[in-house]
Amino acid sequence: MNASAKTLEFTFERTIPASPAEVFDAWLDPKVPGNPWNAAEKFILDPKVDGLFYWRLTTNTHYGRFTKVDRPARIEHTWVSPSTQGRESMVTVTFAKQGENTLMTLVHSDLPDTDGGRGHEKGWNYFLGIFPGQFGGDPLKKR
Amino acid sequence: MDPLTDVLTALSHPSRRDIVRRLATAPARFTDVARPLDVSLNAVTKHLKLLERAGLIEREKRGREVFISLQPGPLRLVAGWMHEYERFWNARLDRFEQHFTEKKKEKKR
């Protein structure tokens, strides 16, 4: 794959009923459900600029390096996984005050536009299997 | 309905997928679209309406003729929906949001 290869970008938004600082801290706290590190079987997390993270779920490993950690407004890190074919994709999370709430925006960019990325069912099925049973809800219903 | 549902509905019928394939090469007149399909003109009109609702086609009047062209943009919604990270982050963020909603409820008790 070369530098001019097509990439995909996805943007997600959630309104969280807490202050930006609380949401920012929770996103980097592996004890809080929902952040990327929470479900990991093994993880290393060093959330500072040039700090690294690693997490493993079954045989699926993810690596990255933090490029911006700006409490409470912004976190940026790279994201390398089998689905990115070993290349660095980029995850940017911003936290904006919205009254009493926080508008949290996550952008996952520079993802290779390949069948490997689009076709993978395994990761999602794992989460689908866990979430409804554990929390009594179907994560798909909200969408 | 949401845009993704409209696109998936539009693509759920083989005749409509044939129309999309036909228009992928070039815009066509209504009669050209209808001819290869083994259905009534009324049915073709209904198929076109569903494709139009999904934003997949546009009609343009040129003189007496109406030309139908493909607008492939909404097809990206389907590609996005199928993407691993689309599903991954939505599931994660739903759970993260739920954590705070539950916390807030507990505080109120």
Side-chain angles (χ1 to χ4, degrees), chain B residues 12 23-24 28 36 46-47 51 54 59 61 64 73 78 85 87 98 100 106-107:
Chain B
S12 67
L23 295 174
K46 281 183 184 164
H47 286 317
L51 289 166
R59 297 165 200 247
K61 220 172 172 189
R64 282 186 180 179
V78 181
Y85 280 121
R87 297 178 300 234
Q98 193 187 347
F100 280 94
E106 275 169 28
K107 264 189 198 169

Side-chain angles (χ1 to χ4, degrees), chain A residues 15-91:
Chain A
T15 302
I16 310 283
S19 71
E22 284 174 287
V23 182
F24 179 101
D25 291 344
W27 190 249
L28 294 175
D29 180 354
K31 289 201 257 346
V32 175
N35 69 42
W37 298 277
N38 177 258
E41 287 165 7
K42 292 269 184 213
F43 74 90
I44 297 169
L45 175 64
D46 184 16
K48 60 177 193 244
V49 173
D50 291 328
L52 305 177
F53 76 80
Y54 154 79
W55 64 265
R56 178 163 65 79
L57 188 63
T58 60
T59 56
N60 205 350
T61 48
H62 294 72
Y63 308 84
R65 60 187 173 91
F66 286 88
T67 54
K68 196 166 266 183
V69 182
D70 185 7
R71 187 178 188 271
R74 193 180 186 89
I75 300 167
E76 283 179 18
H77 56 77
T78 64
W79 181 277
V80 179
S81 74
S83 304
T84 69
Q85 302 179 327
R87 292 187 354 148
E88 282 191 328
S89 62
M90 198 72 203
V91 175

Side-chain angles (χ1 to χ4, degrees), chain B residues 56-67:
Chain B
L56 285 167
I57 58 163
E58 256 180 27
R59 297 165 200 247
E60 192 198 340
K61 220 172 172 189
R62 288 185 210 163
R64 282 186 180 179
E65 310 250 49
V66 175
F67 276 81

Side-chain angles (χ1 to χ4, degrees), chain A residues 81 83 108 118 120 124 135, chain B residues 82 84-85 87 89 95:
Chain A
S81 74
S83 304
H108 197 161
R118 280 192 239 115
H120 265 135
W124 178 243
F135 306 112
Chain B
M82 293 194 305
E84 177 188 5
Y85 280 121
R87 297 178 300 234
W89 287 119
R95 183 66 196 104

Side-chain angles (χ1 to χ4, degrees), chain A residues 8 10 12 14-18 23 26 32-36 39 62 79 81 83 104 106 108 111 117-118 120 124 127 131 135 139 142-143, chain B residues 2 4-5 76-105 107:
Chain A
L8 292 171
F10 297 109
F12 310 89
R14 292 292 187 281
T15 302
I16 310 283
V23 182
V32 175
N35 69 42
H62 294 72
W79 181 277
S81 74
S83 304
M104 179 177 177
L106 188 150
H108 197 161
L111 282 163
R118 280 192 239 115
H120 265 135
W124 178 243
F127 285 106
F131 282 134
F135 306 112
K142 278 191 73 179
R143 303 253 59 81
Chain B
D2 66 287
L4 174 62
T5 306
R76 284 196 79 78
L77 291 174
V78 181
W81 173 71
M82 293 194 305
H83 196 282
E84 177 188 5
Y85 280 121
E86 225 269 343
R87 297 178 300 234
F88 171 80
W89 287 119
N90 272 319
R92 305 258 70 191
L93 289 167
D94 282 348
R95 183 66 196 104
F96 189 68
E97 185 182 359
Q98 193 187 347
H99 166 76
F100 280 94
T101 313
E102 282 166 3
K103 227 168 112 178
K104 201 180 175 184
K105 270 187 206 157
K107 264 189 198 169

